[in-house]
Amino acid sequence: MVGVLSPNIPAFATVFHGILRAGGTATTINALFTAPEIAKQLTDAKAKMLITISPMFDQAAAAAKEVGISDENLIVLDGEGQEKSGHPNAVDLLGAGLPAPDVTIDPATHVAALPYSSGTTGNPKGVALSHRNLVANVAQIKPLQGMTPDDVVIAVLPFFHIYGMTVLLNAALYNRGRLVIMPRFDLVEFLENIQKYKVTSAYIAPPVAVALAKHPIVDNYDLSSLHTMMSGAAPLDDELGKAVAKRLNLHMLQGYGMSELSPVSHLIPFDTQAALGREDPPLSSTGWAIPNSENKLVDPATGDEIELPGEGLSEPGELWVKGPNVMLGYLNNEQATADTIDADGYLHTGDMAQVDPTGCVYIVDRLKELIKYKGYQVPPAELEALLLTHPKIADTAVIGVNDDEGEEIPKAFVVTQAGAELTADEVIEFVAAKVAPHKKVRAVEFIDAIPKSASGKILRKDLRK
Ligand code: 4UW
């Protein structure tokens, strides 16, 4: 088990596939995580080795120390090397000249990648993805994604997250497309790279679409090479998507996925007419199920399957997905696995969707507790546990709410200890000092009591109301 803590760099591909080729498992870690967050994932995954780059050395070393990873097992790719620093670098690894190891694995059961996701409830869990899961998903999206060796794809979405790992890194390697790799999103660099490298397609999350639709600087660049843009990881607003398509004169699409599905399950094809003999659906949809998958919509109240409507949109139901891309399960967590994948092999996504008569899916709500900030996962349970360590907080619950811009943000409801004085800013700063930026609490409301069910479960629906 090897931890990978790195932003997008070309060596990510070598490291990731080197680990898999050696018969290991890569647990990819959010590059913005703090040392305690890194240590938590490494501990849960039982990682024996951590690979990072020098700008992240401090967090990586602190986490490695806490977990008991030795100096020679903390690899700093661009560091000074084993002799000078005690940490091997890329030259040490490549220079050793060792032959490729002779490895036999079962692709159906061997865990290749272990990204973390909070799933429907609770703390982040290791999502065990087999070689077959990863390979299947690349193959399933190939006819819809239509990537060719002539494509130049901008890779600004992180490879450590399943969206970038499959849809950018692995799909580009498989289809021989070229990736223009960016370690972080910066609008000017993004635009410069598209112009300079004649980028043909871009995969984004909705906040990038906001910048592209609104920022005046966009007009200063020749972006005419860019013909297709795919948004995913959070809902794309229909008007926003259309505004980007019009301004940049490109084909705007949407897809849907989750870590537990390796990740893609639904996509608007690059060429809907060629792939399916149909017209493009509205941009508020996430398109049709990918090949070799079975899908159901199920009424969460009754458990009844919702049929395709004769016209218009169906009633909303929870989306269930079955196929070779469904994860093996959550690492060392049989209960969470059984709660998520049923006996028939359907994965219950925790997302509510509607379908049109052709089976085109519209994601309309979330049943699960998960919050998405700019497409990144924010597990409420983790923030609630952290907030409860504050001496002035008696009880708390965190939910996602929409801010003035329509962006989902984490909001904490806080019950203070009797007689204690606490401000919203103090709560926000307390959390901000301990978590990665995307997990910050961005709104606070003080209330008298957290609404809970008889069994003590937080009634998040009541808080939302
Ligand atoms: N609309 C509404 C969407 C959408 C969405 C995701 O962090 P994870 O586990 O995984 C992802 C993966 C996103 C993704 C992968 C491949 C792909 O092609 C694509 O579209 C181009 C997107 O984000 O979070 C999973 C959860 O994120 C929400 C939903 O709640 C899901 O369960 N989500 N995409 N288009 N919500």
Side-chain angles (χ1 to χ4, degrees):
M1 182 68 65
V2 184
V4 180
L5 178 72
S6 170
N8 286 5
I9 52 172
F12 198 108
T14 330
V15 165
F16 181 78
H17 284 286
I19 294 167
L20 270 57
R21 173 63 184 82
T25 299
T27 187
T28 51
I29 304 169
N30 190 314
L32 298 175
F33 271 8
T34 60
E37 290 170 322
I38 299 165
K40 209 168 157 187
Q41 182 168 333
L42 292 173
T43 304
D44 189 74
K46 299 195 175 66
K48 299 276 179 292
M49 193 181 265
L50 177 60
I51 303 184
T52 193
I53 56 170
S54 49
M56 290 174 181
F57 180 75
D58 289 348
Q59 307 87 294
K65 194 168 169 215
E66 193 180 325
V67 177
I69 290 177
S70 62
D71 280 359
E72 68 269 21
N73 283 329
L74 170 58
I75 292 149
V76 185
L77 292 171
D78 58 338
E80 291 185 314
Q82 172 87 56
E83 247 174 55
K84 274 197 176 163
S85 67
H87 301 290
N89 62 14
V91 177
D92 291 329
L93 296 187
L94 294 168
L98 299 170
D102 192 8
V103 171
T104 311
I105 51 125
D106 177 355
T109 57
H110 185 81
V111 183
L114 190 77
Y116 271 66
S117 163
S118 63
T120 51
T121 183
N123 282 317
K125 295 171 272 291
V127 178
L129 300 175
S130 65
H131 285 255
R132 180 166 291 167
N133 286 152
L134 296 180
V135 171
N137 206 229
V138 169
Q140 286 171 299
I141 62 174
K142 183 178 168 66
L144 310 174
Q145 194 184 23
M147 199 189 288
T148 73
D150 294 331
D151 271 312
V152 184
V153 183
I154 193 146
V156 70
L157 295 176
F159 297 147
F160 60 73
H161 182 246
I162 191 71
Y163 182 2
M165 189 192 293
T166 293
V167 176
L168 296 171
L169 182 61
N170 290 342
L173 287 169
Y174 178 58
N175 294 304
R176 310 278 193 270
R178 192 190 315 173
L179 292 179
V180 176
I181 293 177
M182 294 183 64
R184 76 192 76 79
F185 179 70
D186 173 273
L187 183 61
V188 169
E189 283 172 26
F190 184 75
L191 298 168
E192 277 174 2
N193 280 336
I194 294 173
Q195 177 174 288
K196 183 170 172 195
Y197 297 105
K198 298 198 168 28
V199 166
T200 58
S201 45
Y203 291 81
I204 59 153
V208 177
V210 175
L212 293 174
K214 296 198 175 151
H215 205 293
I217 203 174
V218 173
D219 291 331
N220 298 352
Y221 294 86
D222 174 7
L223 307 176
S224 57
S225 58
L226 190 60
H227 56 67
T228 312
M229 184 168 287
M230 169 79 76
S231 174
L236 177 69
D237 179 74
D238 190 41
E239 291 303 316
L240 173 65
K242 281 191 206 144
V244 174
K246 190 162 172 234
R247 188 173 192 197
L248 303 188
N249 187 28
L250 51 73
H251 192 192
M252 188 82 200
L253 311 168
Q254 189 175 190
Y256 160 88
M258 59 191 279
S259 307
E260 291 84 344
L261 294 170
S262 306
V264 189
S265 69
H266 292 76
L267 217 54
I268 303 178
F270 271 42
D271 186 341
T272 305
Q273 197 49 256
L276 303 169
R278 291 193 180 120
E279 298 299 312
D280 264 359
L283 254 187
S284 49
S285 85
T286 60
W288 292 273
I290 57 171
N292 201 10
S293 71
E294 293 170 66
N295 295 262
K296 278 187 196 181
L297 275 192
V298 177
D299 183 333
T302 62
D304 293 340
E305 187 172 346
I306 295 167
E307 300 297 326
L308 284 182
E311 57 179 332
L313 291 182
S314 71
E315 289 298 310
E318 186 185 9
L319 180 62
W320 294 9
V321 179
K322 181 174 172 175
N325 53 318
V326 171
M327 65 169 177
L328 297 175
Y330 292 115
L331 184 78
N332 300 329
N333 198 331
E334 274 173 36
Q335 188 58 51
T337 305
D339 290 344
T340 307
I341 306 175
D342 66 27
D344 295 327
Y346 279 94
L347 182 129
H348 301 194
T349 64
D351 290 305
M352 293 292 283
Q354 293 177 280
V355 278
D356 77 4
T358 69
C360 185
V361 162
Y362 294 70
I363 304 290
V364 289
D365 200 3
R366 219 178 276 141
L367 269 182
K368 53 189 169 189
E369 344 176 309
L370 176 69
I371 302 168
K372 278 272 169 122
Y373 180 72
K374 298 199 176 203
Y376 287 110
Q377 290 207 5
V378 182
E382 200 180 303
L383 293 181
E384 287 156 5
L386 175 60
L387 284 164
L388 284 175
T389 65
H390 192 292
K392 291 184 181 171
I393 295 180
D395 202 1
T396 185
V398 180
I399 63 165
V401 295
N402 283 341
D403 69 5
D404 296 343
E405 313 260 278
E407 175 100 56
E408 188 178 14
I409 55 165
K411 171 172 178 174
F413 288 85
V414 171
V415 182
T416 47
Q417 297 282 13
E421 281 191 21
L422 188 64
T423 65
D425 283 346
E426 283 169 347
V427 174
I428 289 171
E429 279 161 27
F430 175 75
V431 175
K434 295 184 164 62
V435 299
H438 64 279
K439 290 193 207 160
K440 283 182 194 169
V441 163
R442 287 167 198 271
V444 177
E445 189 175 325
F446 292 98
I447 53 173
D448 294 334
I450 302 294
K452 291 193 181 154
S453 69
S455 62
K457 245 182 120 182
I458 296 169
L459 295 172
R460 294 174 195 277
K461 263 207 177 128
D462 292 2
L463 285 171
R464 244 176 248 142
K465 266 188 213 145

